[in-house]
Every structure is written in C-alpha cells, then in structure tokens.
Amino acid sequence: MIMFNSNAITEVKRTAGEISTTVSNIRVGGRNLVRHAGAPDTKYWATVSGGNGTGTIENNDVDAVDSLEFDKMFVIRGNTQGNRDWASTTYYLDVIEGETYTVSAYVKLDSQAFVTDPTIQFRLWGGVTKPSDFGYMLWGAIKTGLGLSKDKWTRVVMTTKAVKGGKGLPCFGISGEGSIDIAYPQIERGTMATAWTPAPEDTDQAISKVSQTANAVKADLANTKGDVASVKAKADSLTAQLSDANGNISQLQQTAKGLQSTVAGQDGKISQ
C-alpha cells in the first residue's frame, strides 16, 4: 500500500509539472482552437473526404522538433485522386464570417511517399452533422512547393479568412496524389502562428484528471494511516500479551522452584 502511494504521488508530481510547463508556454493570442490536437486517436479523429488514401495512426518514425514530443502521428497513405483529410469528430469549431485565422500543422513525407511535392490542404467544413457529411466550406487553404522530406518535420502555416460563419469540422490533409504524415494541428485567430499549445480545455481536463488522482492518493494515504494505526494497536496489544506471558512464565518458574523444594524435602523424609 505504501509503495503504491509513493509511486502514485511521483506520477502526480510529474504530470502536474508537465501541465504547469504547458500552461506557462501558452501565449496571449495564441489559443489553439482545435481540441485533442496533440492526441492522434480515433476516439477524436477520422479520415474523411472523397479521396482513396488510407488513414492510420502510427508511431512517429523521425526525431521531434521544436521541443514537442511526437509519439504518434496522423498518416494519409496512397492517395491517388481527390482530397483526403484527417478531421475532428468530436469538436466543431465556431468561426466568424470574414475573420482571419492562421492554420498550421507539422507535416512530412510518409515513409512510403511516391510523390515528392504533394499539395497540403487545411479546410473547415460547415453544415455537417457527422464527419461523412459535407455541406459547404467555411475556409480552404492549400500550399505546395514546401520541400518536404521523409526525414524531418516541417511546420506548414497558412492564413485564411472564413468565407462564412458557423460551426465546422477542422480538416488537415492532402489534395491529389501523395502520402503524408501530420502532427500537432493548430488553428488561431489572427495572422500570427505561435508555438503549438494544447487547447485550454484539454489542459483543464488534464488538470482535473491530476486532481482526481491526487484525491484518490490522499484517500489511500488516509487509509494507510488508519492501517498503520491499527497495526500499531495490534502491536501494543501483542506487547501487553507478551508482558503478561512473561509474568506468567516468571510465576510458573517460582511455582516450579517451590515444587522442587517441596519434593526435595519429601525426599529427605522418605530417606529417613
């Protein structure tokens, strides 16, 4: 129990320290509007659009950049026609018509890339109720000639205006042929791309998780304290019992000595 609490406390301190560092790095005006952007997971993201490329989430196969840990990455592989995107499935971004947004993501050529200069595409689709529906585009930005490599990540940044207002699904992907890997998408209001940070809601969620873990550890410590007190009480009881036993042994020894003296006296009388 005590070993478990020690490990749990260490984990809470480590996670809390990471969250503190993340929060301190968030800049004013650099709020990431994309939820779960640092968590490539099919619980939050899915491949969409009409292209024929396959979408997978895989381990990062090259070094990270900009002090970010690229444990997982979004992969779009073998697209030969149309558009193919990774889109958020749990969070709809609410934008204002005419407002400027800066969209960015880390991109590289996939290990199986067959096109050296793919067209990278960032879009926001509105009028949707699920990822397979597409109503109208709130914005669209494409970029090519980026000199992408299989061996390193490149941060691709595009600035665009919302042609319509409303809620939409953030999409990050490719237009036309190619195979690419994507990590850490970000959408910000304004014209400046700041260092990647998680959406504040994700940070709040992580802090809440740490708080819950800390409360559980606190409860375990309280139980451990009770267990220690119980063990101490039992130990005190055993000590008292041993003390009584020692007293009984001493009394038995005295009784035995008395019996020996009596027997010795009787022996004398018998010999006479």
Side-chain angles (χ1 to χ4, degrees), residues 1 3 9 23 82 113 121 138 153 155 157 200 209 226 249 256 258 261 266:
M1 177 68 75
M3 170 99 42
I9 290 170
V23 172
Q121 175 175 259
L138 297 174
W153 291 95
R155 195 180 192 196
V157 179
K209 183 177 179 180
I249 291 171
S261 298
Q266 293 299 326

Side-chain angles (χ1 to χ4, degrees), residues 32-97:
N32 191 353
L33 300 174
V34 183
R35 291 292 310 274
H36 310 298
D41 193 312
T42 52
K43 291 188 299 184
Y44 312 120
W45 298 85
T47 45
V48 297
S49 307
N52 60 355
T54 59
T56 58
I57 292 176
E58 301 179 10
N59 293 325
N60 174 36
D61 56 2
V62 302
D63 293 336
V65 294
D66 296 343
S67 301
L68 293 172
E69 293 296 330
F70 287 82
D71 295 328
K72 299 288 184 179
M73 61 185 183
F74 301 101
V75 177
I76 297 174
R77 186 171 290 146
N79 197 64
T80 59
Q81 60 184 14
N83 303 312
R84 200 62 169 159
D85 303 287
W86 275 98
S88 171
T89 59
T90 60
Y91 181 67
Y92 293 82
L93 179 61
D94 196 0
V95 299
I96 301 171
E97 181 177 350

